[in-house]
Amino acid sequence: MMKQKLAAQLFTVRDLLREDFPGVLRELKDMGWAGVQIGGLFDYSKEEIAAVLYETGLKTAGLHAGIDRIRNDLQAVVEEADTFQTKDIICPFVPEDLRHEAGYRELKDDLNTIAGKLEKNGYRISYHNHDFEVQTQVDGKHALDFLLNPAEGNKILAEIDVYWVKKSGLDPLEYVTQFKDRMPIIHLKDMADNTEQSFTEIGNGIIDFAPILRWGEQNGIEWFAVEQDTCPGNPLESLAVSLSNLNRIIEGL
């Protein structure tokens, strides 16, 4: 069952998508991925890409949309989500000019307001972290905790990236456990055992994924999305290694 929750974040193969988005989707399906997470259309139409998803049977594990689009072009974002048959809209990044106390307060207010408007139609708004959020304090806690505080009144769900949590000096498993039933999608990304703490394929680094997968399966995670920001060679080969290793880890649970 868990293998049917494995998705490839398409940012990993962004350069290849510019050349042949449909062809990459077909390769990912043939590789064995159950879904993909969309983060841009690269001059293709949403209808074009949705047709290939339908053809291949790939599901959509959420849609990344920048905060400017969510604030200023929400209807188009929702139409994309509808076309790709997903209810998850994720803010993936905070521009540098908003990485201060007032910026995070405004971001939290805006995402909560938008989530409140959309929830009656079943949409969910999540936030995807990096490591810079822990460098700013808001209300006596770092900005990531401020944004994702799992309190009843906070409508922002978590899309935790375990690599960036570890990069921040926090323990990934310990950190995600506060988001029981508040994290429909998690980002799996491994950290190489080197001084640069560089990105590497799942299972080739130092993050222990077995307990994270086990916890996720028991606590409301619907998609395990794999992302590798940079790859040593062809990113499709890196995704193949990650998928193979993830399947092996799942079989050992």
Side-chain angles (χ1 to χ4, degrees):
M1 183 66 177
M2 202 183 304
K3 291 182 180 181
Q4 295 307 306
K5 298 180 179 181
L6 300 180
Q9 217 299 343
L10 294 178
F11 182 75
T12 310
V13 290
R14 57 197 178 277
D15 293 333
L16 301 177
L17 298 183
R18 292 184 177 93
E19 301 168 14
D20 185 5
F21 202 144
V24 170
L25 291 176
R26 294 182 182 106
E27 285 195 59
L28 291 171
K29 177 61 177 180
D30 290 344
M31 196 182 292
W33 293 96
V36 295
Q37 188 174 65
I38 294 173
L41 294 178
F42 302 95
D43 294 328
Y44 288 81
S45 72
K46 61 183 184 295
E47 291 81 11
E48 245 181 312
I49 299 308
V52 183
L53 294 175
Y54 180 80
E55 166 207 318
T56 58
L58 283 168
K59 306 300 183 185
T60 302
L63 171 72
H64 276 200
I67 185 58
D68 286 344
R69 288 197 72 210
I70 291 174
R71 282 172 169 162
N72 304 317
D73 201 14
L74 183 62
Q75 184 57 40
V77 173
V78 169
E79 288 173 5
E80 281 184 25
D82 287 344
T83 302
F84 299 132
Q85 299 186 342
T86 181
K87 292 295 187 179
D88 286 296
I89 298 168
I90 303 103
C91 176
F93 192 73
V94 178
E96 199 165 344
D97 61 353
L98 293 179
R99 296 177 199 172
H100 49 75
E101 182 179 346
Y104 284 116
R105 289 188 186 281
E106 185 180 356
L107 177 67
K108 185 173 183 177
D109 286 346
D110 287 353
L111 290 180
N112 267 291
T113 298
I114 291 164
K117 289 177 181 176
L118 296 182
E119 65 182 354
K120 63 181 179 294
N121 292 318
Y123 301 99
R124 301 181 290 197
I125 296 288
S126 299
Y127 178 78
H128 169 277
N129 66 293
H130 290 76
D131 60 342
F132 53 75
E133 298 93 347
V134 305
Q135 298 166 15
T136 301
Q137 293 288 304
V138 186
D139 290 348
K141 61 187 75 173
H142 57 67
L144 187 59
D145 279 351
F146 169 75
L147 288 172
L148 297 181
N149 177 26
E152 187 177 342
N154 187 13
K155 299 181 184 297
I156 306 171
L157 302 180
E159 184 181 78
I160 295 300
D161 184 305
V162 298
Y163 170 94
W164 290 115
V165 168
K166 190 165 185 65
K167 182 89 166 177
S168 302
L170 305 170
D171 178 80
L173 178 63
E174 184 180 333
Y175 195 75
V176 300
T177 55
Q178 65 187 301
F179 301 114
K180 173 181 169 62
D181 297 323
R182 290 183 65 98
M183 183 161 54
I185 307 166
I186 190 171
H187 265 211
L188 305 183
K189 184 185 299 179
D190 213 345
M191 177 184 287
D193 187 10
N194 56 30
T195 55
E196 296 80 18
Q197 296 183 314
S198 53
F199 307 108
T200 192
E201 293 76 14
I202 304 295
N204 288 357
I206 60 176
I207 295 178
D208 184 3
F209 287 96
I212 295 170
L213 292 166
R214 191 178 298 114
W215 179 88
E217 184 68 357
Q218 297 168 353
N219 292 281
I221 289 181
E222 299 166 19
W223 286 103
F224 299 89
V226 173
E227 181 180 44
Q228 190 169 335
D229 298 39
T230 58
C231 303
N234 186 326
L236 284 169
E237 294 176 4
S238 287
L239 283 175
V241 171
S242 289
L243 181 60
S244 175
N245 287 341
L246 266 176
N247 283 331
R248 175 178 48 79
I249 294 168
I250 289 169
E251 288 163 6
L253 293 178

